[in-house]
Amino acid sequence: MPHTRPNPDSSAQPADPSGRVARNTTPDRYAVVGFPISHSYSPLIHRLFAEQTGENLTYSRLAAKPKEFHRIVRRFAADGGRGLNVTVPHKEAAFELAEEIGSEAERAGAVNTLSFTDNGRIRGDNTDGIGFQRDIERNHGISLRGKRTLVLGAGGAARGVVAALLEVQPSELVLANRTVQRATDLLDILNAPANFSTCPLPALSDYQPFEVVVNATSLGLHSMELPFPPGCISEETFAYDLVYSPQRTPFVDWASRHGAGKAVQGWGMLVEQAGESFAIWRGVRPDTSPVLETVLAKARV
């Protein structure tokens, strides 16, 4: 069940001179933690959610290199922080840090949402899968059920996505990664069915084009030639990049150049997974549609 804050005990709140109980106006503190993090639109998204729902909170960015992650998270909690979104490269480290684990995070072995509970414990959830699914099916109108699907990458970003794809039942799923054992381990963790398989990236040249191709690698963060065989793309392919940028990402550019029917960035997933995180923290789910419109306009995508 989502963790929601209990209402403060009114007896603990200060009274004004008239004897009435004064409302606590100190905002709750949230942030997104990752490295790099300066590009993150999460503060804007959660500010819009808070304005829409009337929730009293602040939201900032925390830069944390891998060796600093545990220390920075614990310091944020000790200083009164209520929750953190977790992004690259810390989702698996967040899973190890959490003392209570939600079912989606347990299945994926990765956490993108940390909540600091009133009893001092750290809870981890994963909203990536539901955010990915909602964006593709609701915002882009693409049904994932029964599709031949390729997921590129087997790191923390891929874990929530592959777990979500288990639910929608593609006809086939191939998980391709530079290190095949890492991909195999992920499918083992998820207890994936026989129609889910793995392969090294170069071996994709032996496959027919896929109907859905998802880039879950960090390669899209940089301008570089992508090591994906173009034969996995055709005019029937819906190509989806978990990476988002005001500019066209390298993966979207690559997919478009090789004839993908449609190639999009993960802006909608960013907003949808944030909406689910907000609901876990605050007990109310915001309307994501107007927030997505504002974010896209702000980014001029």
Side-chain angles (χ1 to χ4, degrees):
M1 295 294 291
H3 167 69
T4 55
R5 294 179 300 111
N7 292 325
D9 182 354
S10 61
S11 65
Q13 298 183 37
D16 67 20
S18 67
R20 293 173 299 186
V21 174
R23 183 180 179 184
N24 184 3
T25 58
T26 302
D28 290 332
R29 294 175 54 229
Y30 298 89
V32 58
V33 58
F35 193 83
I37 200 62
S38 60
H39 68 287
S40 176
Y41 282 75
S42 292
L44 169 64
I45 292 167
H46 284 273
R47 177 175 63 79
L48 294 172
F49 288 162
E51 291 174 356
Q52 180 191 114
T53 60
E55 293 292 308
N56 188 22
L57 59 86
T58 64
Y59 192 104
S60 59
R61 301 180 185 93
L62 289 177
K65 295 179 180 179
K67 64 181 180 180
E68 303 171 328
F69 177 71
H70 283 210
R71 176 180 61 81
I72 287 176
V73 169
R74 292 190 184 279
R75 171 54 58 189
F76 184 80
D79 289 343
R82 300 296 306 187
L84 288 168
N85 285 128
V86 181
T87 189
V88 175
H90 302 309
K91 294 182 181 184
E92 291 168 83
F95 179 83
E96 297 300 326
L97 181 63
E99 299 159 303
E100 301 173 7
I101 299 290
S103 58
E104 291 82 1
E106 182 71 47
R107 184 172 55 182
V111 160
N112 80 328
T113 304
L114 291 171
S115 306
F116 307 119
T117 67
D118 293 325
N119 62 6
R121 293 175 65 78
I122 301 175
R123 177 183 170 89
D125 288 284
N126 192 310
T127 67
D128 281 336
I130 188 64
F132 166 77
Q133 185 179 344
R134 281 180 178 155
D135 185 35
I136 290 182
E137 296 190 343
R138 187 173 75 173
N139 298 330
H140 293 289
I142 303 293
S143 174
L144 293 167
R145 186 175 298 275
K147 296 290 195 302
R148 291 187 65 250
T149 301
L150 168 65
V151 176
L152 301 165
R159 287 172 174 254
V161 167
V162 176
L165 287 166
L166 281 170
E167 298 295 323
V168 299
Q169 299 177 358
S171 62
E172 177 187 6
L173 184 139
V174 175
L175 182 60
N177 197 54
R178 283 176 168 171
T179 306
V180 177
Q181 189 59 51
R182 185 173 175 84
T184 302
D185 290 345
L186 174 53
L187 294 191
D188 288 343
I189 289 170
L190 294 172
N191 194 25
N195 64 330
F196 281 46
S197 62
T198 66
C199 79
L201 292 175
L204 287 172
S205 58
D206 296 330
Y207 286 79
Q208 295 296 312
F210 292 85
E211 295 170 279
V212 176
V213 176
V214 180
N215 177 38
T217 73
S218 60
L219 298 175
L221 292 171
H222 312 286
S223 296
M224 61 175 66
E225 187 63 30
L226 300 181
F228 311 138
C232 60
I233 296 285
S234 78
E235 62 182 12
E236 303 298 324
T237 301
F238 174 74
Y240 189 92
D241 196 351
L242 300 191
V243 174
Y244 58 91
S245 169
Q247 293 79 39
R248 195 159 149 127
T249 64
F251 175 78
V252 165
D253 182 63
W254 173 85
S256 298
R257 283 191 288 108
H258 292 292
K262 186 175 183 180
V264 302
Q265 301 182 37
W267 288 100
M269 176 180 171
L270 172 69
V271 174
E272 295 293 348
Q273 63 81 25
E276 194 68 15
S277 295
F278 192 91
I280 288 171
W281 291 330
R282 311 303 292 185
V284 57
R285 196 176 196 288
D287 182 359
T288 53
S289 296
V291 173
L292 177 57
E293 290 179 7
T294 300
V295 170
L296 291 176
K298 181 78 173 179
R300 298 178 180 177
V301 175

